[in-house]
Amino acid sequence: MVPGYGPTAGLALARHMKVAKVTFTGSVTTGRAILRDAANSNLKRVTLELGGKSPLIVCPDVDLAEAAERAHAALFYNNGQVRTKATRPRG
């Protein structure tokens, strides 16, 4: 992890010829810029997690009580300090 601002640190990482991979979590607009810069440098690998709000899908054929319990646990897993917490249930 490299702390810094996107226009300086992020841009330098995406464009640097010795960086082999960039991983980014954030906006779709910034993700597109990273892909473009990565492709125009050394065609480095890129992993993006963009624009979502951690959806949770509940299928109609599940035990609703268990699904609710698991959804609640998923929301507070790791004290909410990760972007993979389930914050937007859909059914």
Side-chain angles (χ1 to χ4, degrees):
M1 177 168 38
V2 177
Y5 295 103
T8 51
L11 184 63
L13 287 170
R15 289 185 177 175
H16 200 285
M17 296 298 285
K18 290 189 178 181
V19 172
K21 180 173 181 171
V22 174
T23 301
F24 173 75
T25 300
S27 74
V28 172
T29 301
T30 301
R32 285 186 179 128
I34 289 170
L35 279 175
R36 183 178 51 250
D37 291 331
N40 289 330
S41 64
N42 59 345
L43 201 58
K44 65 181 57 58
R45 292 173 299 159
V46 178
T47 299
L48 304 171
E49 194 281 307
L50 307 175
K53 187 63 177 117
S54 309
L56 171 67
I57 298 170
V58 179
C59 298
D61 62 340
V62 301
D63 177 331
L64 196 54
E66 182 178 349
E69 188 174 316
R70 288 181 182 242
H72 182 265
L75 176 60
F76 294 102
Y77 175 75
N78 202 23
N79 295 321
Q81 299 299 310
V82 293
R83 284 190 46 106
T84 57
K85 66 182 188 277
T87 57
R88 187 183 63 175
R90 297 285 183 217

